[in-house]
Amino acid sequence: AYETHKIGVIYIDKGQGETSTVLSNTHGSVRYEQFLDGLGEWLTLTDCDSSEVYLGGLTCSGEDGDYAICWQDDITQVIFHVATLMPNRATDPACNGKLKHIGNNYVQIVYNNSESDFHVGSVVKGHFNFTSIVIRPLPLGVNEVSVQYKEGVESVMVKYDIFVISDAWLPILVRQTALHANLACQIHQNQKSNEAYCSNWVERLRQIKRIREKLTPGEQYGDFTDYT
């Protein structure tokens, strides 16, 4: 059982600010495309087995596009909901098909090439968009990266400084920051429902323990998951 995360990615071009205009972008700058290449591995959605690869709600039928970007290690799978990889439709000028994925992510990566300031919640408006990791490309192959979050999640969020980083290292920094921020947002959501956050691994151990107790009701076992 992998730890799973879904992260939104949007590209804002010069002069853009409206939600539908931003989400309708089908490509970005050369530096943006290079950033996507470094963010993870490319998936062909129609060839994916959703029981093996975490897709975070993306379909394998082509409805959400032909490709997606994912990343994984031994215990984690991440799917990036990249707006520029999702199709535009004449029947959906407001891009609600894209918004249903990106608007329901806790964290979004914003590649802001607009030369205007970005504020969390100003483009993708959703109840669950708690954190935005904002990339502002600068001359000479460097970028300014800042982290913005909505009021109410301060107690679980790390206070990030503004980073200045090269194009080469940008995807790694942004991916790790997005993972940490998404985990913090998951904890925040659990706190709101008065539930203790536990990883998929711990929850799986608890399920095994419950099954074992049903099979051997006369024996007593300690809750070893308390020590994880």
Side-chain angles (χ1 to χ4, degrees), residues 46-228:
T46 53
D47 294 340
C48 282
D49 182 350
S50 58
S51 65
E52 298 291 335
V53 180
Y54 177 67
L55 297 177
L58 297 178
T59 64
C60 300
S61 63
E63 179 182 350
D64 296 315
D66 297 324
Y67 303 101
I69 294 175
C70 71
W71 179 86
Q72 75 173 59
D73 60 14
D74 291 339
I75 62 172
T76 306
Q77 283 192 352
V78 186
I79 188 72
F80 294 96
H81 291 158
V82 183
T84 54
L85 297 181
M86 299 179 185
N88 294 329
R89 291 186 169 84
T91 56
D92 183 19
C95 295
N96 289 320
K98 298 184 181 186
L99 192 60
K100 74 177 181 181
H101 295 296
I102 295 171
N104 285 303
N105 294 331
Y106 294 149
V107 177
Q108 60 177 328
I109 297 167
V110 180
Y111 197 101
N112 184 15
N113 203 33
S114 69
E115 300 180 353
S116 299
D117 291 338
F118 174 88
H119 301 284
V120 62
S122 62
V123 174
V124 177
K125 301 173 177 64
H127 179 68
F128 297 109
N129 283 146
F130 296 126
T131 306
S132 294
I133 301 168
V134 184
I135 302 165
R136 186 164 69 93
L138 303 174
L140 304 177
V142 297
N143 307 268
E144 179 186 277
V145 180
S146 59
V147 181
Q148 302 177 13
Y149 45 86
K150 288 183 178 177
E151 185 178 352
V153 298
E154 299 93 339
S155 62
V156 295
M157 290 296 297
V158 174
K159 183 174 176 57
Y160 291 94
D161 294 323
I162 293 176
F163 303 100
V164 176
I165 192 165
S166 69
D167 286 349
W169 290 100
L170 179 67
I172 297 172
L173 171 71
V174 170
R175 184 177 64 227
Q176 290 305 113
T177 304
L179 283 175
H180 294 162
N182 199 64
L183 179 59
C185 291
Q186 290 175 347
I187 293 171
H188 169 71
Q189 282 296 91
N190 280 89
Q191 287 178 343
K192 288 173 63 176
S193 57
N194 295 318
E195 295 179 1
Y197 171 80
C198 66
S199 68
N200 290 346
W201 294 92
V202 173
E203 183 58 34
R204 190 173 182 182
L205 286 173
R206 288 177 176 169
Q207 290 176 4
I208 292 171
K209 180 176 179 288
R210 286 193 289 268
I211 293 171
R212 184 175 62 183
E213 288 175 342
K214 288 180 180 179
L215 295 175
T216 55
E219 299 184 41
Q220 299 296 319
Y221 300 93
D223 188 356
F224 54 89
T225 59
D226 288 341
Y227 300 98
T228 58

